[in-house]
Amino acid sequence: MASKLAASALMLALLGCVAHTCQAGYGYPYPVSAPKSTPPAAPTLNYAHYYKTCKGAEKIVRDVVQEEIKRNPGIGAGLIRLFFHDCFVQGCDASVLLDKTPANESTEKFGLPNIGSLRGFEVIDKIKTKLEAKCKGVVSCADIVAFAGRDATYFLSNKKVYFEMPAGRYDGRVSSASETLFNLPPPFGNITVLEAMFAAKGLNLDEMVTLSGAHTVGISHCSSFGDRLPRNASDPMAMNSRFANSVTRKCKSGSSMVDQDFKTPNKLDNQYYKNVLNHEVLFTSDAALESSKTKRLVKQNLTPYVWETKFKQAMRKMGAIGVKTSANGEIRKNCRLIN
């Protein structure tokens, strides 16, 4: 019965998104108990994967990511979100990078909520070009996306959140816009919908709360939290009045986007969880974390270093979703096109 209710809630929420033309700004999101040591990689992944075949590959990725974040800190949030949106649809296989072609006129990047909102494609292209020049046909686009998400985390946290990311992913050959809406957690989702969608990817409730902390960086389109304004004073999870007034003024001033974390917008930290408890978050999906099911987990993440440690493990676990192998994938020459 519970699973049927969750499925029904999920479908109703997704249909609601279609009805309200939900646009850019979907939740990132984003995973486990603090590891005492580096955990084993997924069966098809391993650490130092390119040590012999393309030594220095990860440094090339890190250097480009650092350069781009220095130029524009917002691109770091975009790279973390790109990793999440890739893994939640078809698995971590770089399917989100594929462009339209005559053979496929509607890929993931053109589906809701991705269309017009994802950032970082040019950064991935730049990294791929450098890696192809060093070791042609060796490093997959899927691994580049995973490394870039890891490195963006590192630099946005002022180098406090670093972790090894296993590699060995192959690039997928399938990408469809019709799959995005039903796989990516919506900003208007309640706790039942969110739990069901993360569970479908093998991520538990604590990992869901942990990954949601990525909303401590990045921006959101005002249309993505239109269901929260004007403020409903009778809603126990509504924005506090001061925050609601501030956000309303910004959205009415001509700006279509606002910072997701208004206190430390370009810093990856645990401020997000303070914002949740203070009713100073944008999305219904953010406010939902104050529910009885997850409030305890939110409070745990206020303890110094707890969230940061859990986030490392969560990113690694998410990076193992639906990994492709040589049997059903390839190493693309161009991240935007299948070979």
Side-chain angles (χ1 to χ4, degrees):
M1 177 62 75
S3 60
K4 288 183 179 179
L5 288 173
S8 297
L10 173 58
M11 184 58 67
L12 285 171
L14 292 171
L15 289 174
C17 185
V18 175
H20 291 88
T21 319
C22 295
Q23 299 174 3
Y26 262 56
Y28 279 104
Y30 307 32
V32 178
S33 298
K36 293 182 180 179
S37 60
T38 299
T44 57
L45 304 179
N46 57 80
Y47 296 99
H49 179 77
Y50 295 109
Y51 184 75
K52 292 183 179 180
T53 57
C54 192
K55 191 172 182 179
E58 291 189 49
K59 185 179 186 303
I60 289 174
V61 177
R62 187 172 298 119
D63 287 348
V64 172
V65 171
Q66 181 178 29
E67 176 187 342
E68 295 298 326
I69 288 178
K70 280 183 178 179
R71 183 179 295 115
N72 174 18
I75 201 66
L79 289 170
I80 296 172
R81 186 167 182 255
L82 191 66
F83 180 40
F84 175 80
H85 282 231
D86 183 37
C87 292
F88 263 58
V89 185
Q90 284 285 334
C92 307
D93 65 350
S95 54
V96 74
L97 305 179
L98 291 173
D99 281 339
K100 295 179 181 178
T101 66
N104 185 359
E105 296 184 353
S106 190
T107 58
E108 288 172 30
K109 67 167 65 172
F110 298 100
L112 288 172
N114 293 340
I115 184 169
S117 75
L118 289 182
R119 296 182 290 169
F121 297 112
E122 294 78 10
V123 178
I124 302 299
D125 291 339
K126 185 175 182 179
I127 294 169
K128 180 65 170 175
T129 298
K130 288 178 176 288
L131 288 171
E132 285 293 296
K134 178 178 175 62
C135 31
K136 190 174 181 179
V138 174
V139 183
S140 72
C141 300
D143 280 342
I144 293 173
V145 172
F147 288 149
R150 181 268 311 271
D151 294 336
T153 298
Y154 176 63
F155 290 116
L156 290 179
S157 67
N158 196 25
K159 302 183 179 181
K160 292 179 180 178
V161 184
Y162 176 77
F163 55 98
E164 295 295 330
M165 175 65 77
R169 302 167 187 79
Y170 278 73
D171 300 322
R173 301 188 182 97
V174 177
S175 183
S176 173
S178 65
E179 295 188 10
T180 56
L181 188 61
F182 295 93
N183 282 285
L184 294 167
F188 53 82
N190 61 32
I191 199 66
T192 302
V193 169
L194 297 174
E195 184 177 13
M197 296 190 82
F198 275 79
K201 306 302 175 184
L203 299 168
N204 63 35
L205 199 63
D206 189 24
E207 292 161 345
M208 181 196 82
V209 173
T210 299
L211 283 175
S212 296
H215 280 170
T216 190
V217 291
I219 55 178
S220 170
H221 285 247
C222 293
S223 60
S224 293
F225 52 89
D227 60 321
R228 304 254 289 155
L229 296 172
R231 175 178 178 268
N232 180 0
S234 64
D235 181 357
M237 294 185 183
M239 299 177 187
N240 68 47
S241 56
R242 184 176 62 179
F243 182 64
N245 290 337
S246 174
V247 171
T248 299
R249 282 196 300 272
K250 289 177 182 177
C251 288
K252 287 184 175 180
S253 69
S255 173
S256 63
M257 294 184 289
V258 296
D259 290 323
Q260 294 203 95
D261 178 352
F262 71 105
K263 292 193 174 180
T264 57
N266 293 317
K267 184 179 179 182
L268 194 82
D269 55 21
N270 68 352
Q271 178 64 43
Y272 168 79
Y273 299 100
K274 300 173 187 176
N275 295 345
V276 169
L277 296 176
N278 291 333
H279 293 227
E280 295 175 331
V281 287
L282 298 176
F283 302 150
T284 297
S285 58
D286 294 326
L289 299 189
E290 206 181 5
S291 73
S292 58
K293 256 189 171 184
T294 50
K295 191 169 186 177
R296 171 183 57 86
L297 300 172
V298 170
K299 290 182 176 180
Q300 284 179 3
N301 288 332
L302 296 177
T303 304
Y305 306 111
V306 168
W307 173 74
E308 291 84 350
T309 303
K310 289 163 67 176
F311 191 72
K312 300 175 190 180
Q313 180 74 346
M315 288 283 276
R316 266 193 295 251
K317 185 174 179 180
M318 185 178 71
I321 296 174
V323 170
K324 303 295 188 296
T325 66
S326 58
N328 60 353
E330 63 185 15
I331 306 297
R332 284 183 215 144
K333 299 173 184 176
N334 179 337
C335 287
R336 293 174 180 261
L337 301 167
I338 61 174
N339 294 340

